[in-house]
Amino acid sequence: MTMGTNVAPERRGTPDWVWLAGVPVAAVVWWLVYDQLIPFSEWVTSLLPVARDSHTGEAIAFFVYDVPKVLLLLTGIVFVTGVLRSWFSPEKTRAILAGKREIWGYPLAALLGVLTPFCSCSSVPLFIGFVSAGIPLGVTFSFLVAGPMVGPVGLGLLYGLVGWEVATLYLAFGFTIATVAGWILGRMSLERYLQDWVRELNAGPTGGLLEERLTFVDRIKIGLEQVREIVGKVWIWVLVGIGIGAAIHGYVPEDVMLRIMGGEAWWSVPAAVVVGIPMYTNAAGVIPIVEALLGKGAAIGTTLAFMMSVIALSLPEMIILKQVLTLRLIAIFVAVVSAGILATGFLFNAIL
C-alpha cells in the first residue's frame, strides 16, 4: 500500500474489534516497557563482567537504555502521525500552513520543542513524523532545534545552576535560534534535499477512496504500514548513531574539554562548538559538565555554546537524520544552527 493514497486496506482475516481493542492494549504495553527502561539497562549492565561506574559500564548502560527508548518513541510517534495523516494528506497539511498562516508555524513548533523533554536523538522520531506528514520543512527544523536545546529538563537544571536571569536569557536565545533557523531554512526551499523515499512518501496522489469512507480500523492499518515503512528504513542507523554516542558518553574524559574551554580567548566559543558536536548526551547529562566548566573558570558564553552544540548538533543525531535528509541538507542545517550558537556564545561573553 502506498502511503500517499487514501485507499482503504483490505478487510480480511482479523475482525475489526481485535484492531480496535489492540490499540489501547498496545499503548499500555508501550508505556509499561518505556517506564522500565532505566531499571532494565541497569539490570543488563549488572549481568556483565564490568564495573557499573567504569567507562565501559557507563557506555553499555547508556546504549541499552537509549536504543529501545528511541525505537519506542519512533514507533509510537510514527504510528500516531500515520493515523492522523489519514485525515490530513500532505497536500492538505501544506495548504493549512501555507502563506501567512505558515509564519506562526515556526514559533509554535519551537514552543512545542521547549515543552517536550526529549534529547536530540529522541526528537528525531517526531521530526520524521512531521516531515512524513507534509509539514513544511522549516517548521519541522524549528522543533528539531528547540526540542533538545531548551527542553524543560535542561532548562530547570540550568535555573538551579546559574540563576533565573541567565537561564531566562538562555531560553530566549534558544527559542529565537530555533524560530529564526527554521524560518531561514524554510525560505531556502530545501525539500529537494530530502531523501528520495521521503519525497516519494509526500508526493503520492490523494485520490482513491474518499477520506470520510475510511473507517478507524483502516486508519490504524495505515499507521501500522507507515511504521513498517519508516522504522524499517532507519532502525539500523538508530543503533549505529546511539552506539557512537554511547562510546563518546562513556570514554571522552571531562578534563580534555576543560583544557580546551577553560579560558576566555575569542576562539574558545568556536572551539566549544567544535568539541560539542561529536558528543552525545541529554540535557541532564550535560549540566554536570557545564557546572564543572564554570567552576574551572570557563566563560558563561563559551559554556552555553558548548551546551547548545552538544544537545542540538550531536553526531549520533546526524547519523540518524542521514536516513531522512541528504548530506547537503544536514550541512546546511548544521551551518545555520552553528551560526546562531556562535552568536549566542559571543553575546553572552560580551554582556556577562
PDB file of all heavy atoms in Angstrom, residues 155 158-173 300 304 348 351-352:
ATOM      1  N   LEU A 155      16.463  23.060  31.080  1.00  0.00           N
ATOM      2  CA  LEU A 155      16.201  24.435  31.493  1.00  0.00           C
ATOM      3  C   LEU A 155      16.022  24.513  33.007  1.00  0.00           C
ATOM      4  O   LEU A 155      16.533  25.423  33.666  1.00  0.00           O
ATOM      5  CB  LEU A 155      14.953  24.955  30.781  1.00  0.00           C
ATOM      6  CG  LEU A 155      14.752  26.470  30.783  1.00  0.00           C
ATOM      7  CD1 LEU A 155      15.902  27.174  30.091  1.00  0.00           C
ATOM      8  CD2 LEU A 155      13.434  26.826  30.112  1.00  0.00           C
ATOM      9  N   LEU A 158      19.329  24.191  34.590  1.00  0.00           N
ATOM     10  CA  LEU A 158      20.121  25.399  34.357  1.00  0.00           C
ATOM     11  C   LEU A 158      19.689  26.526  35.290  1.00  0.00           C
ATOM     12  O   LEU A 158      20.525  27.300  35.770  1.00  0.00           O
ATOM     13  CB  LEU A 158      19.987  25.822  32.892  1.00  0.00           C
ATOM     14  CG  LEU A 158      21.046  26.811  32.372  1.00  0.00           C
ATOM     15  CD1 LEU A 158      22.436  26.201  32.453  1.00  0.00           C
ATOM     16  CD2 LEU A 158      20.724  27.205  30.938  1.00  0.00           C
ATOM     17  N   TYR A 159      18.394  26.632  35.558  1.00  0.00           N
ATOM     18  CA  TYR A 159      17.902  27.639  36.503  1.00  0.00           C
ATOM     19  C   TYR A 159      18.561  27.445  37.872  1.00  0.00           C
ATOM     20  O   TYR A 159      18.967  28.415  38.529  1.00  0.00           O
ATOM     21  CB  TYR A 159      16.384  27.555  36.639  1.00  0.00           C
ATOM     22  CG  TYR A 159      15.618  28.457  35.708  1.00  0.00           C
ATOM     23  CD1 TYR A 159      15.124  27.983  34.498  1.00  0.00           C
ATOM     24  CD2 TYR A 159      15.385  29.785  36.026  1.00  0.00           C
ATOM     25  CE1 TYR A 159      14.426  28.797  33.634  1.00  0.00           C
ATOM     26  CE2 TYR A 159      14.687  30.625  35.169  1.00  0.00           C
ATOM     27  CZ  TYR A 159      14.204  30.128  33.970  1.00  0.00           C
ATOM     28  OH  TYR A 159      13.524  30.945  33.118  1.00  0.00           O
ATOM     29  N   GLY A 160      18.672  26.198  38.302  1.00  0.00           N
ATOM     30  CA  GLY A 160      19.285  25.939  39.593  1.00  0.00           C
ATOM     31  C   GLY A 160      20.783  26.189  39.601  1.00  0.00           C
ATOM     32  O   GLY A 160      21.357  26.508  40.645  1.00  0.00           O
ATOM     33  N   LEU A 161      21.432  26.075  38.437  1.00  0.00           N
ATOM     34  CA  LEU A 161      22.879  26.197  38.356  1.00  0.00           C
ATOM     35  C   LEU A 161      23.353  27.647  38.214  1.00  0.00           C
ATOM     36  O   LEU A 161      24.283  28.069  38.908  1.00  0.00           O
ATOM     37  CB  LEU A 161      23.402  25.367  37.177  1.00  0.00           C
ATOM     38  CG  LEU A 161      24.910  25.413  36.905  1.00  0.00           C
ATOM     39  CD1 LEU A 161      25.675  24.854  38.097  1.00  0.00           C
ATOM     40  CD2 LEU A 161      25.236  24.619  35.641  1.00  0.00           C
ATOM     41  N   VAL A 162      22.718  28.408  37.333  1.00  0.00           N
ATOM     42  CA  VAL A 162      23.230  29.748  37.022  1.00  0.00           C
ATOM     43  C   VAL A 162      22.259  30.859  37.403  1.00  0.00           C
ATOM     44  O   VAL A 162      22.551  32.035  37.187  1.00  0.00           O
ATOM     45  CB  VAL A 162      23.587  29.864  35.519  1.00  0.00           C
ATOM     46  CG1 VAL A 162      24.687  28.890  35.157  1.00  0.00           C
ATOM     47  CG2 VAL A 162      22.353  29.628  34.646  1.00  0.00           C
ATOM     48  N   GLY A 163      21.094  30.504  37.940  1.00  0.00           N
ATOM     49  CA  GLY A 163      20.147  31.545  38.341  1.00  0.00           C
ATOM     50  C   GLY A 163      19.135  31.848  37.249  1.00  0.00           C
ATOM     51  O   GLY A 163      19.337  31.523  36.074  1.00  0.00           O
ATOM     52  N   TRP A 164      18.053  32.501  37.663  1.00  0.00           N
ATOM     53  CA  TRP A 164      16.935  32.704  36.723  1.00  0.00           C
ATOM     54  C   TRP A 164      17.270  33.708  35.632  1.00  0.00           C
ATOM     55  O   TRP A 164      16.759  33.608  34.511  1.00  0.00           O
ATOM     56  CB  TRP A 164      15.688  33.139  37.482  1.00  0.00           C
ATOM     57  CG  TRP A 164      15.749  34.530  38.055  1.00  0.00           C
ATOM     58  CD1 TRP A 164      16.175  34.894  39.290  1.00  0.00           C
ATOM     59  CD2 TRP A 164      15.350  35.735  37.393  1.00  0.00           C
ATOM     60  NE1 TRP A 164      16.086  36.254  39.452  1.00  0.00           N
ATOM     61  CE2 TRP A 164      15.578  36.798  38.305  1.00  0.00           C
ATOM     62  CE3 TRP A 164      14.833  36.020  36.134  1.00  0.00           C
ATOM     63  CZ2 TRP A 164      15.300  38.125  37.984  1.00  0.00           C
ATOM     64  CZ3 TRP A 164      14.551  37.335  35.813  1.00  0.00           C
ATOM     65  CH2 TRP A 164      14.788  38.374  36.728  1.00  0.00           C
ATOM     66  N   GLU A 165      18.130  34.709  35.913  1.00  0.00           N
ATOM     67  CA  GLU A 165      18.419  35.714  34.888  1.00  0.00           C
ATOM     68  C   GLU A 165      19.118  35.083  33.679  1.00  0.00           C
ATOM     69  O   GLU A 165      18.683  35.259  32.535  1.00  0.00           O
ATOM     70  CB  GLU A 165      19.300  36.836  35.447  1.00  0.00           C
ATOM     71  CG  GLU A 165      18.663  37.613  36.581  1.00  0.00           C
ATOM     72  CD  GLU A 165      19.098  37.091  37.940  1.00  0.00           C
ATOM     73  OE1 GLU A 165      19.501  35.899  38.009  1.00  0.00           O
ATOM     74  OE2 GLU A 165      19.024  37.860  38.913  1.00  0.00           O
ATOM     75  N   VAL A 166      20.208  34.334  33.931  1.00  0.00           N
ATOM     76  CA  VAL A 166      20.948  33.717  32.836  1.00  0.00           C
ATOM     77  C   VAL A 166      20.107  32.632  32.162  1.00  0.00           C
ATOM     78  O   VAL A 166      20.092  32.510  30.935  1.00  0.00           O
ATOM     79  CB  VAL A 166      22.277  33.122  33.354  1.00  0.00           C
ATOM     80  CG1 VAL A 166      22.998  32.348  32.246  1.00  0.00           C
ATOM     81  CG2 VAL A 166      23.171  34.221  33.896  1.00  0.00           C
ATOM     82  N   ALA A 167      19.394  31.837  32.959  1.00  0.00           N
ATOM     83  CA  ALA A 167      18.574  30.765  32.388  1.00  0.00           C
ATOM     84  C   ALA A 167      17.463  31.332  31.514  1.00  0.00           C
ATOM     85  O   ALA A 167      17.144  30.767  30.456  1.00  0.00           O
ATOM     86  CB  ALA A 167      17.984  29.901  33.494  1.00  0.00           C
ATOM     87  N   THR A 168      16.868  32.452  31.923  1.00  0.00           N
ATOM     88  CA  THR A 168      15.817  33.075  31.116  1.00  0.00           C
ATOM     89  C   THR A 168      16.387  33.625  29.817  1.00  0.00           C
ATOM     90  O   THR A 168      15.772  33.498  28.747  1.00  0.00           O
ATOM     91  CB  THR A 168      15.123  34.192  31.909  1.00  0.00           C
ATOM     92  OG1 THR A 168      14.555  33.645  33.104  1.00  0.00           O
ATOM     93  CG2 THR A 168      14.005  34.826  31.080  1.00  0.00           C
ATOM     94  N   LEU A 169      17.576  34.233  29.890  1.00  0.00           N
ATOM     95  CA  LEU A 169      18.239  34.685  28.667  1.00  0.00           C
ATOM     96  C   LEU A 169      18.535  33.514  27.741  1.00  0.00           C
ATOM     97  O   LEU A 169      18.357  33.596  26.523  1.00  0.00           O
ATOM     98  CB  LEU A 169      19.531  35.414  29.009  1.00  0.00           C
ATOM     99  CG  LEU A 169      19.427  36.881  29.429  1.00  0.00           C
ATOM    100  CD1 LEU A 169      20.784  37.405  29.871  1.00  0.00           C
ATOM    101  CD2 LEU A 169      18.881  37.722  28.280  1.00  0.00           C
ATOM    102  N   TYR A 170      18.987  32.405  28.329  1.00  0.00           N
ATOM    103  CA  TYR A 170      19.262  31.206  27.544  1.00  0.00           C
ATOM    104  C   TYR A 170      17.998  30.709  26.848  1.00  0.00           C
ATOM    105  O   TYR A 170      18.023  30.344  25.664  1.00  0.00           O
ATOM    106  CB  TYR A 170      19.824  30.117  28.448  1.00  0.00           C
ATOM    107  CG  TYR A 170      20.071  28.798  27.751  1.00  0.00           C
ATOM    108  CD1 TYR A 170      21.234  28.584  27.030  1.00  0.00           C
ATOM    109  CD2 TYR A 170      19.136  27.769  27.808  1.00  0.00           C
ATOM    110  CE1 TYR A 170      21.463  27.379  26.381  1.00  0.00           C
ATOM    111  CE2 TYR A 170      19.354  26.565  27.172  1.00  0.00           C
ATOM    112  CZ  TYR A 170      20.521  26.372  26.463  1.00  0.00           C
ATOM    113  OH  TYR A 170      20.736  25.184  25.811  1.00  0.00           O
ATOM    114  N   LEU A 171      16.881  30.693  27.583  1.00  0.00           N
ATOM    115  CA  LEU A 171      15.604  30.292  26.998  1.00  0.00           C
ATOM    116  C   LEU A 171      15.239  31.202  25.832  1.00  0.00           C
ATOM    117  O   LEU A 171      14.834  30.736  24.764  1.00  0.00           O
ATOM    118  CB  LEU A 171      14.511  30.338  28.067  1.00  0.00           C
ATOM    119  CG  LEU A 171      13.063  30.197  27.579  1.00  0.00           C
ATOM    120  CD1 LEU A 171      12.851  28.844  26.913  1.00  0.00           C
ATOM    121  CD2 LEU A 171      12.086  30.374  28.752  1.00  0.00           C
ATOM    122  N   ALA A 172      15.393  32.505  26.031  1.00  0.00           N
ATOM    123  CA  ALA A 172      15.039  33.461  24.977  1.00  0.00           C
ATOM    124  C   ALA A 172      15.906  33.263  23.736  1.00  0.00           C
ATOM    125  O   ALA A 172      15.396  33.236  22.606  1.00  0.00           O
ATOM    126  CB  ALA A 172      15.179  34.889  25.503  1.00  0.00           C
ATOM    127  N   PHE A 173      17.224  33.104  23.949  1.00  0.00           N
ATOM    128  CA  PHE A 173      18.115  32.925  22.807  1.00  0.00           C
ATOM    129  C   PHE A 173      17.867  31.582  22.127  1.00  0.00           C
ATOM    130  O   PHE A 173      17.873  31.500  20.892  1.00  0.00           O
ATOM    131  CB  PHE A 173      19.572  33.033  23.248  1.00  0.00           C
ATOM    132  CG  PHE A 173      20.056  34.446  23.383  1.00  0.00           C
ATOM    133  CD1 PHE A 173      20.317  34.993  24.625  1.00  0.00           C
ATOM    134  CD2 PHE A 173      20.241  35.239  22.261  1.00  0.00           C
ATOM    135  CE1 PHE A 173      20.759  36.294  24.748  1.00  0.00           C
ATOM    136  CE2 PHE A 173      20.683  36.549  22.372  1.00  0.00           C
ATOM    137  CZ  PHE A 173      20.944  37.084  23.627  1.00  0.00           C
ATOM    138  N   ILE A 300      30.862  32.150  30.597  1.00  0.00           N
ATOM    139  CA  ILE A 300      29.480  31.670  30.523  1.00  0.00           C
ATOM    140  C   ILE A 300      29.031  31.463  29.085  1.00  0.00           C
ATOM    141  O   ILE A 300      28.372  30.476  28.762  1.00  0.00           O
ATOM    142  CB  ILE A 300      28.526  32.645  31.266  1.00  0.00           C
ATOM    143  CG1 ILE A 300      27.108  32.102  31.274  1.00  0.00           C
ATOM    144  CG2 ILE A 300      28.580  34.037  30.662  1.00  0.00           C
ATOM    145  CD1 ILE A 300      26.897  30.873  32.101  1.00  0.00           C
ATOM    146  N   LEU A 304      27.828  27.928  27.499  1.00  0.00           N
ATOM    147  CA  LEU A 304      26.494  27.746  26.933  1.00  0.00           C
ATOM    148  C   LEU A 304      26.562  27.350  25.463  1.00  0.00           C
ATOM    149  O   LEU A 304      25.723  26.573  24.980  1.00  0.00           O
ATOM    150  CB  LEU A 304      25.666  29.019  27.108  1.00  0.00           C
ATOM    151  CG  LEU A 304      25.292  29.372  28.554  1.00  0.00           C
ATOM    152  CD1 LEU A 304      24.481  30.662  28.599  1.00  0.00           C
ATOM    153  CD2 LEU A 304      24.517  28.243  29.215  1.00  0.00           C
ATOM    154  N   PHE A 348      26.757  36.369  25.000  1.00  0.00           N
ATOM    155  CA  PHE A 348      26.776  36.120  26.448  1.00  0.00           C
ATOM    156  C   PHE A 348      28.124  36.508  27.055  1.00  0.00           C
ATOM    157  O   PHE A 348      28.185  37.072  28.149  1.00  0.00           O
ATOM    158  CB  PHE A 348      26.464  34.648  26.746  1.00  0.00           C
ATOM    159  CG  PHE A 348      25.017  34.373  27.022  1.00  0.00           C
ATOM    160  CD1 PHE A 348      24.131  34.135  25.989  1.00  0.00           C
ATOM    161  CD2 PHE A 348      24.539  34.347  28.316  1.00  0.00           C
ATOM    162  CE1 PHE A 348      22.792  33.872  26.236  1.00  0.00           C
ATOM    163  CE2 PHE A 348      23.205  34.091  28.590  1.00  0.00           C
ATOM    164  CZ  PHE A 348      22.328  33.861  27.547  1.00  0.00           C
ATOM    165  N   ILE A 351      28.170  40.377  27.403  1.00  0.00           N
ATOM    166  CA  ILE A 351      27.278  41.091  28.319  1.00  0.00           C
ATOM    167  C   ILE A 351      27.354  40.580  29.744  1.00  0.00           C
ATOM    168  O   ILE A 351      26.853  41.239  30.661  1.00  0.00           O
ATOM    169  CB  ILE A 351      25.813  41.030  27.830  1.00  0.00           C
ATOM    170  CG1 ILE A 351      25.292  39.590  27.831  1.00  0.00           C
ATOM    171  CG2 ILE A 351      25.692  41.653  26.456  1.00  0.00           C
ATOM    172  CD1 ILE A 351      23.841  39.453  27.392  1.00  0.00           C
ATOM    173  N   LEU A 352      27.969  39.396  29.976  1.00  0.00           N
ATOM    174  CA  LEU A 352      28.013  38.836  31.334  1.00  0.00           C
ATOM    175  C   LEU A 352      29.455  38.706  31.816  1.00  0.00           C
ATOM    176  O   LEU A 352      30.364  38.557  31.025  1.00  0.00           O
ATOM    177  CB  LEU A 352      27.315  37.471  31.363  1.00  0.00           C
ATOM    178  CG  LEU A 352      25.818  37.505  31.069  1.00  0.00           C
ATOM    179  CD1 LEU A 352      25.266  36.078  30.992  1.00  0.00           C
ATOM    180  CD2 LEU A 352      25.068  38.287  32.142  1.00  0.00           C
TER     181      LEU A 352
END
